[in-house]
Amino acid sequence: MDYLQYVGGIIGATAIASAAGAAALYYMNSPNPIVPPVDLNRQSIEQPDGARLSCLCKNGKLFEYLYDDVKTMYELMRRGARVSNNGPCLGWRPSKDSPYKWLSYNEVLTKAGNFGSGLVHIGVKPGQDTFIGIYSQNSVEWILTEHACYHISAIIVPLYDTLGTEACTFIVNETEIRTVVCDKEEKVKAILAEAEKTPGLKQIITTVKISDETKATAERYKIQLYSFSEVEELGKANPFEAVPPKPEDLATVCYTSGTTGTPKGVMLTHRNVVVDVSASIYQLAEYAPNSDDVMMSFLPLAHMFERVCEATVYIAGGRVGFYQGDIRLLVEDMKALRPTISPTVPRVLNRIYDKVQATVSGSFAKKFLLNFAMKRKQSELKRLVIRNNSTWDFVFKQVREGMGGRLRLLVCGSAPLASNVLTFIRCALGCVVVEGYGQTEGVAPCTLTVHGDYTAGHVGPPIPCCKIKLVDVPEMEYYASENKGEVCIKGNNIFRGYLKNPEKTAETIDKDGWLHTGDIGMWLPNGALKVVDRKKHIFKLAQGEYIAPEKIENIYLSSPYIMQIFVHGESLKSCLVAIVVPDSEVVKSWAKEQNIQEPWNKLCGDKNLKKLIFDNIISLGKKTGLKSFEQVKDIYVHPDPFSIDNGLLTPTLKTKRPECRKYFMPQIEAMYRVLV
C-alpha cells in the first residue's frame, strides 16, 4: 500500500508552500494535553530493599482487585454482561465480504454453560483434576471453550497452532488431557497420528466437519469424535449446575515453547490473571477499555498477552471481533471491524514503518513532507498532545485507515520495539500507544509504559500488582548498585510454578518468591525500566570476553535494511559473525535507486548490498556504545526469513539459537575461514 501516494508533484509542492499558514492554523487549534496517571519524572518508588514499586501503589501496598465482585475469570465475564446491559460480546465474519456478526454477553454465557454441561455429559469430570486442551486459532469457539472450563472449574491448556507434533504429544501426556477441542481436520489428523503415544486421550471435539476417513481412524484408536454443536446441544438438554472456581484455583496451564528442550507448563491461577488484568486497567485509567470499545483479536490466544488484552475488554463490557484466520486479510478485517483497541507486536508495526519509508525514499517532496509532519507531531507529543486531526495528520491518513481508522489505544508487547518505529507509530496513529514487558510466568505485562510519556526505548514502570528489583550479574559486569542487573519480579501476578517440574520451578523462583526472568534491565532516572540484555544466551570468545548476542541483535535490528539477524560466536573464535535476513521492501527500493535489476536471491548475494548493510550496522553499534569485540566482523545475507515452518523460530517468534547455528554452519564456517 502506498501510504503517501497522494503526496508529491503539485499537491506536495502546494502543501510545502503552505507550511507557514498550516503551522499558524495548528497553533490556533492546539488541543489540551492529556494528564498522565503519575509524575513522568518519577514513575516508580524505590523501597528499602532496593526493589521499585509503581507510584500508583497506595501506602506501598501491591494492588489486587479492581472490583470486589471480580476475583475469577468466571466472574469477570459476568461483570461484562452486567455493565454492558447484555451488549455485543464476540464477533466474527462468516465470509470474506460479510460484515461482523455478534453474540451478546448473555448468549456467550449461555452457550459456554451449555458446552461445559455437555462436556460433563460426555464424561468430563468437573474440578481441578481435569485439563481440557484447545488446539485452535482465535475464534468464538475458543472463548466458549475457555469459559466452559471455568463453568466446571476445569483447567484450559492451549496447544499452539505451530507448536509441533512432538511438543503437543508431550503436553497431552504431561497434563493427562482426555479431551481436545480442534478447529481443523488437519489438527485432528495430527493428534490421531500420535494416538499410540497418547493413551489417555479419549475425545476430540471439532468445530468443522470431519471426513469419513478421519472418523474411521479415530474409531480405530477408540477415540470418540464429537462436533462442537453436538456437545453444546447435549449440555442444553442435560444442564449441569455451575461449579465456579475460587481465586486460588488454576485457570490455565500455558506452555512456554523455549528455544531448547521440552516446553514447560506455566500454572496460572484465576487470581494471577485477574490481578494482572486489574492492575493494567488501573494504570491505563481513562484510557482503559470501556463498554463502547471494540478490540481486534488476531494475536494467538494461546499466549497470555492476547488473553489479558481481551479480558480487559470483557470486564468492561466491550466487544471483541476475531480476524478470519488469514493474516493476509487482516487489513480487510480491520476495515470491517473498525476497532478502537488493538494489541499488536513489533513485527506488524515494523512492516508499516518500512512500507512508509520505502514509499518516500525515491521522492524528495514526499520525504520532506513526511519529515516535516513528523517534527510537528513529535512537538505535540512532547507537550502531551495526542490526536489525529491536526493540520499534518493527512500525511498519515492511510496508515490510520489501514488499521480501521478509529484506534484510540494500541498495546504493543512480546518483543522489543525500536524507538524510531514507536515514535513513528505514535505520530502516525495519533492515539495512545503503550508498550508492555513481561513473561508468561508473570501472566503477561509486568511493566507498562505510561500514557503521555513520549520517550521511547524503555518499557515503563512496574504495574501496580508487582514490584521489580535488579540483581547483580557479575560475569556480565552488571551491578544493582549501578542500577543494572537481572530483572526479578515479585507480586500477585507471579505464577504458582511449572506443572510437575519442581526443579525448573526452583531455578526460576527463589526462596523469597522472586521470579528470575533472565533479562538484564536498568533503571532510568525517571523510574522506568529499560531491558538491555539477556542473561541466558551469553557465551565467551577466545580471549575471554563475555558476549550477549541478543543485546547486539536488538541494536542491529534498528537498521532499516534488516528484518532478522542471528549473531554467532564461539569460545574457540576471536570474533563474531552474523546471518542477516534483509527487509525486502527497503532493499528492493535501494536496488531500484541503484538501477540494480536482479532476482531476489541474486540481489542478496550482491557485494554492494552486503557492504551497505555491514557499514550501517557497524555505525549503529558505534553510536550505541558497542565495544569492538561486540561488533560482528562479517555477515552473510540470507534471502529467506527465519520462520516457524523452517524450524528457526519458536511459536512465539523467538530465534531458536541452536537450530540456527546448525542450519547456517556452512556459511558460518566459510566466514571464519575468510577472517582467519
Side-chain angles (χ1 to χ4, degrees):
M1 182 184 294
D2 185 350
Y3 290 110
L4 296 176
Q5 62 186 356
Y6 46 86
V7 179
I10 295 172
I11 297 175
T14 302
I16 295 166
S18 302
L25 185 63
Y26 155 80
Y27 283 114
M28 289 170 59
N29 295 297
S30 183
N32 294 325
I34 68 170
V35 180
V38 298
D39 180 351
L40 296 181
N41 295 314
R42 187 173 177 266
Q43 298 184 22
S44 64
I45 306 169
E46 187 171 3
Q47 301 297 289
D49 62 356
R52 296 191 77 92
L53 286 175
S54 166
C55 287
L56 294 171
C57 291
K58 296 177 181 177
N59 301 319
K61 293 182 64 177
L62 293 178
F63 186 83
E64 290 199 50
Y65 298 110
L66 194 62
Y67 306 107
D68 289 337
D69 60 346
V70 180
K71 297 183 179 180
T72 66
M73 293 295 285
Y74 178 86
E75 294 169 336
L76 183 145
M77 187 66 89
R78 279 154 179 78
R79 182 182 190 276
R82 189 171 65 253
V83 299
S84 70
N85 194 25
N86 190 31
C89 179
L90 303 180
W92 74 101
R93 297 181 79 184
S95 63
K96 181 179 176 181
D97 300 319
S98 64
Y100 273 83
K101 294 184 65 175
W102 296 91
L103 290 178
S104 71
Y105 271 86
N106 285 345
E107 286 175 319
V108 169
L109 292 172
T110 298
K111 291 171 81 66
N114 287 341
F115 189 68
S117 297
L119 290 174
V120 174
H121 186 74
I122 63 174
V124 172
K125 182 182 176 183
Q128 288 279 287
D129 293 330
T130 294
F131 296 81
I132 303 291
I134 181 156
Y135 196 5
S136 169
Q137 285 188 307
N138 300 15
S139 64
V140 170
E141 289 81 7
W142 210 109
I143 302 301
L144 293 180
T145 301
E146 178 185 15
H147 286 271
C149 288
Y150 303 152
H151 183 83
I152 61 174
S153 285
I155 302 158
I156 187 166
V157 182
L159 302 174
Y160 299 179
D161 257 354
T162 48
L163 193 59
T165 304
E166 188 176 330
C168 284
T169 299
F170 172 82
I171 293 169
V172 168
N173 287 332
E174 182 169 80
T175 55
E176 300 178 43
I177 286 174
R178 294 172 57 87
T179 306
V180 176
V181 178
C182 291
D183 68 340
K184 293 180 180 177
E185 182 164 9
E186 293 77 19
K187 294 173 185 174
V188 176
K189 289 179 177 179
I191 291 173
L192 291 175
E194 296 288 300
E196 292 181 351
K197 300 177 185 176
T198 54
L201 183 64
K202 301 300 179 186
Q203 299 161 152
I204 298 176
I205 301 169
T206 68
T207 62
V208 294
K209 289 184 177 180
I210 299 300
S211 67
D212 291 340
E213 180 185 355
T214 301
K215 289 177 182 177
T217 303
E219 189 174 347
R220 190 163 66 250
Y221 288 114
K222 297 181 180 179
I223 292 176
Q224 185 70 46
L225 291 181
Y226 294 95
S227 73
F228 195 94
S229 58
E230 181 183 2
V231 175
E232 190 180 333
E233 286 300 315
L234 285 170
K236 186 177 180 180
N238 301 274
F240 180 82
E241 188 175 349
V243 183
K246 298 182 287 294
E248 60 271 22
D249 285 344
L250 286 183
T252 188
V253 173
C254 282
Y255 277 81
T256 59
S257 52
T259 53
T260 58
T262 55
K264 302 186 293 289
V266 176
M267 296 187 289
L268 296 173
T269 66
H270 283 267
R271 181 173 187 258
N272 290 150
V273 180
V274 174
V275 161
D276 200 71
V277 168
S278 298
S280 301
I281 292 172
Y282 188 59
Q283 179 169 316
L284 286 168
E286 70 266 32
Y287 291 95
N290 60 58
S291 58
D292 294 324
D293 277 314
V294 183
M295 181 187 137
M296 168 58 78
S297 173
F298 72 96
L299 299 180
L301 273 165
H303 305 313
M304 287 307 300
F305 175 46
E306 174 70 16
R307 287 169 72 183
V308 165
C309 287
E310 291 196 18
T312 65
V313 175
Y314 298 138
I315 197 173
R319 65 179 82 176
V320 173
F322 300 100
Y323 84 127
Q324 295 177 75
D326 185 344
I327 201 68
R328 294 169 297 181
L329 300 177
L330 180 59
V331 171
E332 291 182 24
D333 291 338
M334 283 276 196
K335 289 179 178 178
L337 184 66
R338 302 190 69 228
T340 57
I341 295 175
S342 182
T344 190
V345 290
R347 197 168 164 187
V348 173
L349 302 182
N350 289 340
R351 296 299 293 168
I352 295 172
Y353 175 82
D354 290 343
K355 207 172 261 292
V356 171
Q357 296 301 319
T359 299
V360 303
S361 63
S363 167
F364 172 80
K366 289 182 180 182
K367 189 178 292 186
F368 178 90
L369 189 56
L370 175 65
N371 291 338
F372 192 87
M374 281 290 296
K375 287 178 181 177
R376 302 316 318 153
K377 293 288 290 183
Q378 282 180 268
S379 71
E380 286 199 330
L381 288 178
K382 291 177 181 179
R383 292 187 296 110
L384 308 190
V385 171
I386 298 176
R387 59 171 175 164
N388 57 25
N389 61 351
S390 75
T391 305
W392 297 102
D393 276 301
F394 78 94
V395 173
F396 309 106
K397 182 180 179 183
Q398 290 198 20
V399 178
R400 293 194 303 275
E401 289 182 346
M403 301 189 77
R406 290 202 308 162
L407 279 183
R408 69 172 192 87
L409 175 64
L410 189 73
V411 184
C412 186
S414 88
L417 180 62
S419 298
N420 60 323
V421 177
L422 176 56
T423 299
F424 170 80
I425 292 297
R426 281 175 170 160
C427 291
L429 294 180
C431 69
V432 170
V433 181
V434 294
E435 187 175 7
Y437 159 78
Q439 297 182 333
T440 307
E441 289 84 349
V443 180
C446 294
T447 75
L448 192 66
T449 55
V450 176
H451 51 273
D453 186 351
Y454 63 87
T455 61
H458 63 84
V459 292
I463 59 175
C465 65
C466 62
K467 55 185 176 179
I468 294 178
K469 71 175 180 178
L470 302 181
V471 175
D472 292 348
V473 187
E475 67 270 25
M476 298 177 72
E477 298 184 359
Y478 290 120
Y479 298 99
S481 60
E482 299 174 359
N483 284 324
K484 296 179 182 179
E486 182 183 7
V487 178
C488 296
I489 308 169
K490 186 176 184 180
N492 302 320
N493 56 330
I494 301 305
F495 77 135
R496 184 184 288 180
Y498 296 116
L499 182 70
K500 300 180 182 178
N501 200 335
E503 296 83 8
K504 289 292 183 183
T505 300
E507 288 175 16
T508 306
I509 302 180
D510 65 26
K511 59 182 176 59
D512 297 317
W514 288 94
L515 167 67
H516 289 249
T517 66
D519 291 320
I520 304 296
M522 65 177 288
W523 291 116
L524 299 181
N526 66 353
L529 181 71
K530 180 182 177 72
V531 179
V532 297
D533 214 335
R534 181 73 180 155
K535 180 182 176 184
K536 289 185 178 178
H537 293 137
I538 61 172
F539 54 79
K540 279 185 179 180
L541 292 178
Q543 298 93 326
E545 305 100 332
Y546 280 99
I547 298 294
E550 289 175 329
K551 178 186 80 171
I552 301 167
E553 288 166 355
N554 285 335
I555 290 170
Y556 289 167
L557 279 169
S558 63
S559 168
Y561 304 108
I562 293 181
M563 184 174 78
Q564 294 167 317
I565 186 167
F566 168 64
V567 170
H568 174 82
E570 300 174 21
S571 59
L572 299 178
K573 305 294 183 183
S574 61
C575 62
L576 303 174
V577 295
I579 307 297
V580 169
V581 177
D583 186 293
S584 61
E585 290 195 24
V586 175
V587 167
K588 285 176 181 177
S589 178
W590 167 84
K592 187 177 180 181
E593 290 177 2
Q594 304 298 313
N595 293 318
I596 300 174
Q597 297 180 346
E598 293 178 339
W600 178 245
N601 281 20
K602 193 171 181 182
L603 178 60
C604 288
D606 187 281
K607 291 182 179 179
N608 292 324
L609 175 62
K610 177 178 175 178
K611 185 177 186 304
L612 174 76
I613 296 173
F614 183 81
D615 289 348
N616 184 250
I617 61 175
I618 296 303
S619 175
L620 287 169
K622 288 177 179 177
K623 287 178 182 176
T624 51
L626 287 183
K627 297 168 185 173
S628 60
F629 62 81
E630 292 178 301
Q631 296 269 39
V632 298
K633 298 300 183 282
D634 198 2
I635 63 172
Y636 169 74
V637 182
H638 187 62
D640 301 318
F642 309 159
S643 69
I644 297 166
D645 291 339
N646 62 26
L648 301 182
L649 293 183
T650 70
T652 52
L653 305 180
K654 293 181 176 65
T655 303
K656 285 187 168 182
R657 307 198 76 84
E659 283 77 1
C660 279
R661 180 181 182 277
K662 183 177 179 181
Y663 188 89
F664 290 110
M665 188 49 66
Q667 291 83 2
I668 289 169
E669 290 177 342
M671 284 188 280
Y672 278 129
R673 280 196 298 271
V674 173
L675 290 169
V676 170

